[in-house]
């Protein structure tokens, strides 16, 4: 299958280094201390933050978020791993020393999945933490990249992600004096 046309366009009409359209909205969950909806193309994620307390994170995918209708048990290996990645990413940025013996609950739910769910979850969690007024050293933004048929691609959709090429999710901590990046583990 060709993922990039001779004209240099991907199946969804983007150029190889072009991201999908992004949309973010904060303050959508009235009972939460902070919340955000984040969309990357057809991937849609909602995050809610409660706290400050000790940092915890729970990730899940809505049963209807993908074409796969099989019910996945809560706490399956993939969900546990993604929860851990999000928690560790956020713990590195939250100024927990300002809130000793505190707990921050981060709930992230994938409402619609079309690739890049891990990145969308990290972006939504960051926005929800900011909406909650949680003091943070840095903010985090995330995106995926991959390599298919000798072409590097930015922000993989589901079809590209499923094609079996190498890929990575990268998070970038935005500092007041510059930026630096780090890898967040295997891609969805």
């Amino acid at each position: 299958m060709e993922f990039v046309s001779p004209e240099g366009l991907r199946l969804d009409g983007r150029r190889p280094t072009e991201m999908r359209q992004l949309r973010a909205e904060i303050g959508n969950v009235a009972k939460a201390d902070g919340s955000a909806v984040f969309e990357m193309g057809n991937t849609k994620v909602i995050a809610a933050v409660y706290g400050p307390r000790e940092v915890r994170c729970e990730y899940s995918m809505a049963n209807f978020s993908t074409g796969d209708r099989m019910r996945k048990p809560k706490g399956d290996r993939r969900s546990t791993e993604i929860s851990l990645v999000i928690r560790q990413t956020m713990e590195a940025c939250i100024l927990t020393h300002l809130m000793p013996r505190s707990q921050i609950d981060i709930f992230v739910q994938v409402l619609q999945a079309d690739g890049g769910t891990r990145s969308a979850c990290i972006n939504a969690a960051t926005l929800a933490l900011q909406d909650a007024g949680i003091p943070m050293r840095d903010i985090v933004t995330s995106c995926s990249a991959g390599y298919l048929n000798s072409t590097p691609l930015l922000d993989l959709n589901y079809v590209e992600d499923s094609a079996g090429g190498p890929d990575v999710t990268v998070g970038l901590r935005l500092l007041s004096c510059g930026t630096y990046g780090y890898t967040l583990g295997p891609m969805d």
Side-chain angles (χ1 to χ4, degrees), residues 46-50 53 56-59 105-109:
I46 188 166
V49 170
Y50 300 87
R53 298 183 287 273
R56 291 188 323 169
C57 181
E58 182 177 309
Y59 160 93
D105 293 321
I106 304 169
F107 296 96
V108 184
Q109 176 85 47

Side-chain angles (χ1 to χ4, degrees), residues 91-172:
E91 280 179 333
C93 297
I94 296 171
L95 298 173
T96 54
H97 68 278
L98 297 178
M99 304 165 287
R101 296 187 201 148
S102 295
Q103 178 175 312
I104 299 170
D105 293 321
I106 304 169
F107 296 96
V108 184
Q109 176 85 47
V110 177
L111 301 175
Q112 188 171 309
D114 183 30
T117 57
R118 186 172 312 188
S119 295
C121 288
I122 289 167
N123 293 329
T126 297
L127 291 172
L129 286 164
Q130 290 179 325
D131 185 45
I134 304 295
M136 297 175 70
R137 170 179 304 106
D138 320 298
I139 61 170
V140 180
T141 187
S142 181
C143 189
S144 65
Y147 199 71
L148 289 174
N149 297 344
S150 303
T151 305
L153 301 175
L154 181 66
D155 186 23
L156 303 177
N157 63 31
Y158 178 77
V159 172
E160 296 163 342
D161 187 32
S162 301
D167 55 65
V168 65
T169 298
V170 175
L172 196 63

Side-chain angles (χ1 to χ4, degrees), residues 10-87:
R10 292 154 76 170
L11 297 174
D12 59 9
R14 294 180 290 146
R15 300 222 174 269
T17 58
E18 188 177 346
M19 289 186 64
R20 294 174 284 177
Q21 183 174 355
L22 303 178
R23 184 180 159 282
E25 186 179 327
I26 59 171
N28 337 56
V29 181
K31 302 270 186 202
D33 293 314
S35 61
V37 171
F38 190 84
E39 297 178 27
M40 296 176 75
N42 292 326
T43 296
K44 186 173 185 176
V45 173
I46 188 166
V49 170
Y50 300 87
R53 298 183 287 273
E54 177 184 316
V55 179
R56 291 188 323 169
C57 181
E58 182 177 309
Y59 160 93
S60 62
M61 289 186 73
N63 292 335
F64 54 81
S65 68
T66 67
D68 180 13
R69 299 290 181 235
M70 291 184 59
R71 184 163 175 82
K72 294 183 173 109
K74 187 174 180 178
D76 66 276
R77 194 176 131 212
R78 182 176 185 275
S79 295
T80 301
E81 183 251 333
I82 292 174
S83 292
L84 179 65
V85 167
I86 296 168
R87 189 188 89 219

